[in-house]
Amino acid sequence: MKLSINDFDFLDSFDHLGEHYLDPYNKNKINLFSLKINANDFDYQGLQDNLLEPMVNFSLSRAVKAEYSNNLLI
């Protein structure tokens, strides 16, 4: 497991429904997303799988990440 994540793979858990501008000058916009659906249910397992590494990255301090950065986790 990597202790640093530089991408946004967890966004694969969502479907992009569209981008909508909120004002006539196109300065403010909103992007709408929905959690993916699997067999008529939200795919919570896929979301959990995709969020594991970002949550670990967010919750660990820089010191802990530095301490374990050279260790291989199998």
Side-chain angles (χ1 to χ4, degrees), residues 26-40:
N26 293 339
K27 287 188 174 187
N28 301 302
K29 66 181 174 181
I30 187 170
N31 282 292
L32 299 175
F33 293 87
S34 173
L35 190 58
K36 288 191 184 266
I37 295 175
N38 183 8
N40 271 349

Side-chain angles (χ1 to χ4, degrees), residues 12-70:
D12 292 340
S13 297
F14 299 92
D15 288 323
H16 185 242
L17 302 178
E19 177 179 278
H20 303 281
Y21 288 95
L22 302 174
D23 63 343
Y25 305 107
N26 293 339
K27 287 188 174 187
N28 301 302
K29 66 181 174 181
I30 187 170
N31 282 292
L32 299 175
F33 293 87
S34 173
L35 190 58
K36 288 191 184 266
I37 295 175
N38 183 8
N40 271 349
D41 284 326
F42 287 118
D43 188 9
Y44 293 114
Q45 186 60 49
L47 181 62
Q48 277 183 310
D49 295 343
N50 287 333
L51 282 178
L52 178 63
E53 287 188 29
M55 285 178 55
V56 169
N57 185 49
F58 178 76
S59 62
L60 294 177
S61 68
R62 287 187 201 127
V64 170
K65 287 188 239 181
E67 181 180 344
Y68 290 99
S69 65
N70 293 327

